[in-house]
Every structure is written in C-alpha cells, then in structure tokens.
C-alpha cells in the first residue's frame, strides 16, 4: 500500500503542478508521505483552497531556497506552519522552530487544511462542526517525549509500526473532540489533553491512535478482507444492536486497536516498567479492555462478512485478546468498571479497595504478571 500511496501522490502532484517535482528530491519518500499533501488532495472537493496551497506545503521540501509563500497557510492567529521549515508570521518572519522528538514532530499550531477534521462527535452524530481548540504543546511536550521514548525502549516491535505509519502529533485542549486519526491525513495523531500527570494516558493513546494509521496501510485494499462494503455497512444492521452506529470497517479497527493495546500493556506490566500510581493507572486501563473487546463483531456470520484473509485476521486478533485477558482476569475484582468514565481518562479508575490497599497488595506481588 505504501508504494501505491507514493505513486498516487506523485501522479496527483504531476497533474496539479508538474514544476514542483523539479524542485524536490524525487527519491525522498518523506516528501510524498507528507500528511498535508493527503489533506490537500482530499480537500479538492471542498474548494476551500487554491493551487497556491500546494506550493506552500511543498516549499519545505524544495532543494533550493525560494521566497516563502504564506497566504493560504496562515491560521486564525495569522501564523503559518511550513513542514520542515518552521512557523512564520504573515510577513515571513520565522517565529518558532520545528519540535522533533525522536522520529516524531509535535505540531505547535493547527494547519488550516486540518481544521475540517475537528468536530465534536457524540453517538454517531456531529454536535459541533466548528469547535474551539487551542494547542497545548508547551505544557505537555516533556511528557509526550517521555511516553515516546518508553515505547521505543520497551515496545520495540510496536515502535517499528509506530514510525512506519505516523509522523506528527497535535495536542489540544478540547475534550469534546475525541482523539482521532483520519485516512485523509494519514500520519497525523490528534489528542486532547487536560490536567497534568498524563504519561500513561499518552502511552495508551499513542498505541491506540497510531494503530489506526498502521491499519489504514494494512487494510488499504478492503476487498481483500471483506466480502461486503465495510465502509457503508452499519453494524446495527448486522447485529440488531440499536446502539451500534459504527460501520463494519470502524468496528474492525476497534478490535485491532484493543488488541495492540492489550499486547503492549501486557509487555509493560510483565516487565514492571511502572510502579505506584502509574502502575495503578495502567492496570486500570488494562481492566478497561475487558468491556472493549467483544462489542459486536463476535455476533457476525464470519463467512458472510469476511474473505479468507479477513477471517483469519479476525480470528488471530480474537485469540490474542482472549489469551491476554485470561491472564489478567483477577483485575475485574480490583476495578469497578460500572462507574468508569466512558473513555477511562485522567486517572478516573475505581479501585474496589483503597489506593493504600492497592500499594500493599502490589508490594506483596499481587499485581505482578511477569
């Protein structure tokens, strides 16, 4: 899929403005995996931007410097983000540098091309199409760096997938904009952040959202996995569960991202990477995977829905989940999940006993799973 994606972007660039291809290093795949390019070509149907936007995106990849063009890249605060170059005011003065953490970039402002992907969503419906959100990179870049480096050190296999499919993270302050990715901006991760002490939250959401971007690549040819139209088939029409507004493709993404979290949580807990409140939180997030595992796909007639490749992948993911959850079954008595926040955020974990009891039981080895 990566080759197909590269060739598609190259062809679109050639059709739109072939002169741009003469100004870049054509052998550099990173040029053609630029998330803003995906967003630009997916925005053509909206007619919000002119062809000047394409040049403004690409100029960060020019081999030779040229005078900056910033007209359409300016955001609400009249600040322009240019990939690889930095942040500029409307006069072209550089006001900030790119922030890189290992293989990732923390985006300091949102780009105008990405604004349409920010909306408040509830039970399958957009309730606010133009919500306010503010960048909070300054307050959180140290913890997000710590989270990335922990993943790199302790989850090396997952880290390979992470950097294969993900490039940038944008952090904002609106909790009603649920954390997300989009195949139209593949390579971008979008998280909201509130409060402090978000290390475990960042680790979970990096695993969670980055796995969506990775699966976009794996399942690029959806017909290889599904016999039916996975994007336009609503789960409730297959399972008779009125609450399930997801499409089949989204439900499969849910199974995949739960599996990846379970696998990674299991490694972190088995290696005793965390202690105290951080271990408590990670155990709470592990316990929260129990109700997130079987949420509808198990009710389907597999042979009617999946091709052989899809069925095999479904069964493999299901087996992995069942095996890991069996290992952690005793957590169901340690956490009262009936009172949890819908997305189990910000340390809102309900221990059956007090935190002091948790610490004592942990000291005695009750929560060791290595």
């Amino acid at each position: 899929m990566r080759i197909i994606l590269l060739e598609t972007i190259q062809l679109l660039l050639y059709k739109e403005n072939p002169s741009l291809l003469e100004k870049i290093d054509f052998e550099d795949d990173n040029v053609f995996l630029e998330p803003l390019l995906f967003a630009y070509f997916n925005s053509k149907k909206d007619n919000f931007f002119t062809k000047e936007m394409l040049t403004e995106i690409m100029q960060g990849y020019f081999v030779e410097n040229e005078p900056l063009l910033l007209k359409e890249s300016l955001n609400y605060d009249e600040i322009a983000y240019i990939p690889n170059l930095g942040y500029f005011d409307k006069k072209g003065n550089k006001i900030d540098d790119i922030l890189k953490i290992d293989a990732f970039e923390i985006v300091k402002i949102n780009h105008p091309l990405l604004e349409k992907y920010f909306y408040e969503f509830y039970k399958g419906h957009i309730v606010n199409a133009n919500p306010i959100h503010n960048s909070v990179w300054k307050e959180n870049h140290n913890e997000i760096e710590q989270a990335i480096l922990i993943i790199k050190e302790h989850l090396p296999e997952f880290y390979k997938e992470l950097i294969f499919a993900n490039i940038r993270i944008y952090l904002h302050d609106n909790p009603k904009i649920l954390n997300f990715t989009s195949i139209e901006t593949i390579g971008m991760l979008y998280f909201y952040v509130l409060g402090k002490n978000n290390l475990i939250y960042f680790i979970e959401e990096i695993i969670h959202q980055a796995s969506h971007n990775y699966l976009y690549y794996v399942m690029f040819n959806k017909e290889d996995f599904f016999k039916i139209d996975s994007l336009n088939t609503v789960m409730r029409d297959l399972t008779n569960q009125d609450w399930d507004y997801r499409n089949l493709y989204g439900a499969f993404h849910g199974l995949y991202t739960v599996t990846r979290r379970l696998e990674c949580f299991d490694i972190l807990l088995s290696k005793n990477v965390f202690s105290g409140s951080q271990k408590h939180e990670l155990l709470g997030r592990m316990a929260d995977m129990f109700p997130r595992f079987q949420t509808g796909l198990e009710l389907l007639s597999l042979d009617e829905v999946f091709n052989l490749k899809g069925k095999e992948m479904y069964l493999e993911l299901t087996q992995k989940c069942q095996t890991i959850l069996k290992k952690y079954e005793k957590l169901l008595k340690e956490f009262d999940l009936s009172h949890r926040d819908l997305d189990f955020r910000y340390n809102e974990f309900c221990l059956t006993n007090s935190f002091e009891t948790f610490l004592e039981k942990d000291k005695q080895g009750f929560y060791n799973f290595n």
Side-chain angles (χ1 to χ4, degrees):
M1 184 274 195
R2 191 182 183 99
I3 294 175
I4 296 174
L5 190 59
L6 288 169
E7 292 176 345
T8 300
I9 293 297
Q10 289 166 356
L11 181 59
L12 290 171
L13 279 168
Y14 178 77
K15 290 181 176 180
E16 184 96 357
N17 190 342
S19 66
L20 290 175
L21 296 175
E22 300 173 1
K23 299 180 179 183
I24 62 173
D25 178 2
F26 197 82
E27 301 301 317
D28 183 2
D29 289 351
N30 292 322
V31 178
F32 308 107
L33 295 173
E34 167 57 54
L36 292 179
L37 282 182
F38 305 143
Y40 171 77
F41 287 114
N42 280 297
S43 74
K44 299 291 285 183
K45 57 184 178 293
D46 302 319
N47 293 316
F48 291 154
F49 304 96
T50 70
K51 292 183 178 181
E52 288 184 21
M53 174 63 87
L54 182 58
T55 302
E56 293 183 21
I57 295 169
M58 294 295 291
Q59 61 194 336
Y61 295 98
F62 288 173
V63 175
E64 297 182 4
N65 293 332
E66 295 187 7
L68 283 178
L69 301 175
L70 301 173
K71 181 180 177 181
E72 298 204 20
S73 297
L74 293 168
N75 71 354
Y76 297 127
D77 297 318
E78 296 193 313
I79 299 173
Y81 164 68
I82 305 298
N84 284 348
L85 295 183
Y87 301 83
F88 301 84
D89 65 21
K90 62 181 179 180
K91 294 181 180 180
N93 300 310
K94 189 173 186 178
I95 59 174
D96 213 339
D97 295 317
I98 300 289
L99 175 57
K100 295 281 290 209
I101 297 174
D102 200 61
F104 291 89
E105 179 183 341
I106 308 302
V107 179
K108 296 179 178 179
I109 66 165
N110 200 37
H111 192 281
L113 272 169
L114 304 179
E115 282 295 338
K116 75 170 187 176
Y117 300 100
F118 286 75
Y119 46 80
E120 296 174 4
F121 191 77
Y122 183 70
K123 292 187 176 180
H125 300 284
I126 296 175
V127 296
N128 183 357
N130 297 289
I132 296 172
H133 59 92
N134 302 292
S135 174
V136 289
W137 73 269
K138 288 183 179 179
E139 303 93 321
N140 295 285
H141 70 89
N142 287 329
E143 270 195 319
I144 201 81
E145 177 176 14
Q146 188 178 359
I148 290 169
L149 295 180
I150 286 172
I151 290 172
K152 182 179 181 179
E153 178 182 358
H154 297 287
L155 305 169
E157 291 303 312
F158 175 77
Y159 189 76
K160 293 176 184 177
E161 298 180 8
L162 181 62
I163 61 176
F164 174 86
N166 300 274
I167 298 170
R168 300 192 185 109
I169 302 173
Y170 174 69
L171 305 172
H172 64 88
D173 63 355
N174 187 337
K176 294 182 179 180
I177 303 172
L178 301 183
N179 294 345
F180 70 98
T181 63
S182 170
I183 196 169
E184 294 190 1
T185 68
I186 191 167
M188 285 289 304
L189 305 174
Y190 309 88
F191 303 162
Y192 76 78
V193 194
L194 299 176
K196 299 179 180 180
N197 301 316
N198 289 305
L199 177 63
I200 305 300
Y201 166 71
F202 284 144
I203 289 173
E204 174 171 9
E205 284 308 305
I206 290 171
I207 298 167
H208 180 183
Q209 303 303 332
S211 294
H212 281 300
N213 273 339
Y214 185 76
L215 195 59
Y216 292 145
Y217 280 93
V218 173
M219 303 188 77
F220 182 69
N221 294 317
K222 299 173 187 64
E223 63 274 11
D224 291 343
F225 296 86
F226 301 99
K227 289 182 177 179
I228 61 179
D229 185 349
S230 60
L231 290 177
N232 294 306
T233 300
V234 180
M235 284 292 290
R236 65 164 68 98
D237 294 334
L238 299 174
T239 64
N240 294 319
Q241 295 186 103
D242 291 339
W243 66 269
D244 201 345
Y245 56 83
R246 301 170 300 170
N247 61 28
L248 174 59
Y249 181 67
F252 197 90
H253 263 259
L255 172 62
Y256 182 78
T257 59
V258 166
T259 305
R260 299 306 281 131
R261 279 179 279 176
L262 281 171
E263 290 176 317
C264 293
F265 290 175
D266 179 39
I267 293 170
L268 294 172
L269 289 167
S270 297
K271 295 171 70 173
N272 288 315
V273 175
F274 301 102
S275 61
S277 61
Q278 290 178 339
K279 183 174 182 178
H280 160 231
E281 181 176 350
L282 184 58
L283 287 167
R285 293 180 184 275
M286 173 63 90
D288 186 52
M289 293 299 104
F290 281 86
R292 294 184 185 278
F293 168 40
Q294 300 282 26
T295 59
L297 289 175
E298 73 281 1
L299 302 176
L300 303 180
S301 172
L302 301 185
D303 291 323
E304 292 181 7
V305 170
F306 295 109
N307 288 322
L308 178 60
K309 191 174 181 179
K311 181 179 178 180
E312 288 178 345
M313 187 174 181
Y314 167 78
L315 292 174
E316 179 184 359
L317 294 172
T318 300
Q319 181 60 49
K320 287 180 178 179
C321 283
Q322 290 173 336
T323 300
I324 296 172
L325 288 173
K326 180 69 175 178
K327 179 179 176 181
Y328 291 89
E329 268 185 334
K330 66 182 180 182
L331 291 181
L332 289 173
K333 295 182 180 180
E334 300 298 306
F335 294 89
D336 182 1
L337 301 179
S338 65
H339 300 292
R340 82 192 198 283
D341 175 83
L342 288 176
D343 289 295
F344 227 56
R345 298 180 178 117
Y346 305 112
N347 302 313
E348 295 296 329
F349 305 113
C350 300
L351 276 169
T352 302
N353 299 305
S354 67
F355 184 64
E356 289 73 18
T357 301
F358 164 81
L359 292 176
E360 183 60 32
K361 292 174 75 173
D362 188 35
K363 184 178 179 182
Q364 294 171 2
F366 182 81
Y367 297 108
N368 288 342
F369 296 92
N370 52 355

